[in-house]
């Protein structure tokens, strides 16, 4: 089209801007209308529209519009995907389900460039447009035929008596609802004694597991006030703020590595684009194999020790991310660099999977109708990270080099992540201790 290479930045920014706008609004709309199907249908239609815009594009501004619509559609689809899963699964099953989502997301990221490249070689831009249209129509058909409103499933399961624990692995179950605590519950004492406004996630998942299996075994407290939360109030809640920062850090570092690593491989080792592409394929394969294990281990830890362990797991993942960055920054060979990158990819999943699950824990514990808005925060955090961090990393790479850039950015971000995510359990620990001392006295 005769535009400069600098115009690629505009195309990239259009996707992020579209996603941020849609992510800020779709959660509120879905929670307000109590409808999960409508936004998903909207996303699939927008995928088709974006493909049509690209197919008939003759000018640069039409490419920008294509990316803008694509960003809106992706934001809506991702937000509603995580929301629907969190609507129907309890805490002790949520991590694995989130990991499965990321498995298929990674498969798409691996196959997309390959299929898109082949389509472009044979049909030009029109080939990519046809893929977008076909996938949008396929999604539309699948939603119309198979998908139910997850809130309907949630309400149905809440009124039924699911007594077989084994059935939890085979079908959606009633989410953890933190209600009707006895008067001896320590966290209830914390709330009443301290006036702490953050919603306390229950300390033992055995209670939530029993409630999921047998809703009648724990009578909800009808006097408990359902919290009226919107997206800004959600962000002020410590159980939400920590995971939001974690997603910003983990996804931002992923984007930094994806931006800088090809430059590093070419500048230091002189590798061709094909060889550089193999690195991403190898790491993608490692992630596909490792992510189910990450989700399973996360659920096992939560089942045995309680939902607070998600926050400690995220902090541990942040430490592993930083260690992987040390390996990558000091790597003197292709093999070591691939190893460090694989370690980094798995470590980011150790951060992201429990962070995404923590949103569902919080909403289920608070009995709020703000599930979609909570997951909108996750998409907004990812979008901001993808817009803000790569330019900073690129500028630092050009001025101070790979080692200083990677170590400084990762040190600041990983430390911020750990402090933000540990603020909630640490505060709850001290409040619980203070409440117990008051009871003893």
């Amino acid at each position: 089209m005769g535009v400069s290479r600098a115009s690629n930045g505009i195309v990239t920014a259009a996707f992020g801007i579209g996603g941020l706008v849609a992510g800020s609004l779709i959660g509120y709309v879905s929670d307000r209308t109590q409808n999960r199907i409508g936004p998903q249908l909207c996303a699939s239609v927008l995928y088709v529209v974006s493909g049509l815009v690209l197919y008939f594009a003759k000018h640069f501004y039409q490419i920008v519009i294509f990316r803008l619509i694509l960003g809106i559609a992706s934001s809506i689809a991702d937000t509603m995907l995580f929301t629907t899963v969190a609507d129907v699964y309890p805490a002790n099953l949520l991590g694995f389900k989130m990991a499965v989502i990321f498995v298929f997301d990674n498969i798409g990221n691996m196959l997309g460039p390959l299929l898109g490249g082949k389509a472009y070689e044979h049909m030009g831009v029109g080939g990519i447009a046809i893929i977008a249209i076909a996938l949008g129509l396929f999604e539309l058909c699948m939603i119309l035929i198979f998908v139910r409103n997850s809130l309907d499933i949630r309400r149905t399961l809440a009124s039924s008596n699911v007594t077989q624990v084994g059935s939890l692995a085979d079908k959606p179950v009633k989410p953890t609802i933190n209600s009707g605590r006895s008067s001896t519950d320590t966290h209830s004492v914390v709330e009443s004694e301290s006036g702490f406004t953050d919603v306390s996630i229950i300390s033992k998942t055995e209670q939530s597991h029993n409630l999921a299996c047998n809703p009648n075994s724990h009578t909800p407290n009808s006097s408990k006030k359902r919290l009226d939360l919107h997206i800004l109030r959600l962000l002020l809640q410590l159980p939400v703020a920590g995971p939001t920062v974690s997603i910003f850090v983990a996804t931002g570092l992923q984007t930094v590595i994806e931006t800088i690593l090809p430059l590093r491989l070419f500048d230091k080792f002189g590798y061709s684009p094909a060889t550089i592409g193999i690195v991403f394929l190898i790491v993608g394969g490692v992630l596909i194999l490792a992510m189910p294990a990450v989700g399973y281990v996360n659920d096992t830890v939560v089942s045995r020790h309680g939902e607070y362990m998600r926050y400690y797991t995220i902090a541990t993942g942040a430490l592993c991310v930083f260690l992987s960055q040390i390996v990558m920054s000091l790597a003197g060979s292709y093999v070591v660099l691939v190893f460090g990158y694989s370690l980094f990819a798995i470590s980011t999943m150790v951060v992201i999977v429990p962070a995404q699950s923590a949103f569902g824990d919080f909403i289920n514990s608070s009995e709020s109708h703000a599930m979609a808005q909570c997951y909108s925060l996750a998409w907004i955090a990812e979008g901001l990270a993808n817009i803000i961090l790569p330019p900073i990393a690129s500028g630092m790479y050009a001025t101070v080099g790979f080692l200083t850039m990677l170590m400084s950015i990762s040190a600041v971000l990983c430390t911020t992540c750990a402090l933000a995510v540990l603020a909630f359990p640490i505060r709850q620990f001290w409040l619980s201790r203070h409440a117990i001392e008051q009871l003893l006295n």
Side-chain angles (χ1 to χ4, degrees), residues 141-277:
C141 293
M142 292 299 100
I143 293 172
L144 291 173
I145 296 172
F146 296 109
V147 177
R148 290 176 56 192
N149 188 354
S150 58
L151 290 175
D152 292 339
I153 300 174
R154 181 187 181 100
R155 284 187 285 266
T156 300
L157 293 172
S159 61
S160 65
N161 186 5
V162 184
T163 58
Q164 296 297 324
V165 175
S167 66
L168 295 178
D170 299 324
K171 63 182 180 179
V173 296
K174 184 179 184 297
T176 301
I177 303 295
N178 184 20
S179 60
R181 298 192 186 101
S182 67
S183 60
T184 59
D185 189 319
T186 302
H187 294 296
S188 296
V189 175
V190 170
E191 290 174 358
S192 61
E193 294 290 334
S194 67
F196 184 39
T197 58
D198 281 349
V199 176
S200 297
I201 297 176
I202 62 175
S203 58
K204 291 294 180 182
T205 303
E206 285 81 359
Q207 296 175 358
S208 63
H209 184 76
N210 292 335
L211 177 58
C213 298
N214 188 0
N216 297 325
S217 67
H218 203 67
T219 304
N221 183 358
S222 59
S223 64
K224 181 177 178 179
K225 183 179 180 181
R226 185 183 297 274
L227 293 185
D228 181 19
L229 298 173
H230 53 74
I231 195 167
L232 294 179
R233 287 191 64 190
L234 283 169
L235 192 57
L236 296 177
Q237 302 290 325
L238 283 180
V240 175
T244 302
V245 173
S246 302
I247 291 175
F248 176 91
V249 169
T251 57
L253 283 174
Q254 284 178 337
T255 307
V256 167
I257 296 299
E258 291 168 2
T259 303
I260 302 300
L261 186 59
L263 301 176
R264 174 66 171 176
L265 289 171
F266 178 79
D267 294 340
K268 182 176 178 60
F269 302 104
Y271 289 133
S272 64
T275 305
I276 294 173

Side-chain angles (χ1 to χ4, degrees), residues 109-125:
N109 291 336
M110 291 176 63
L111 295 180
L114 296 176
L115 296 177
K118 291 295 182 182
Y120 183 79
E121 288 179 4
H122 292 87
M123 304 175 64
V125 174

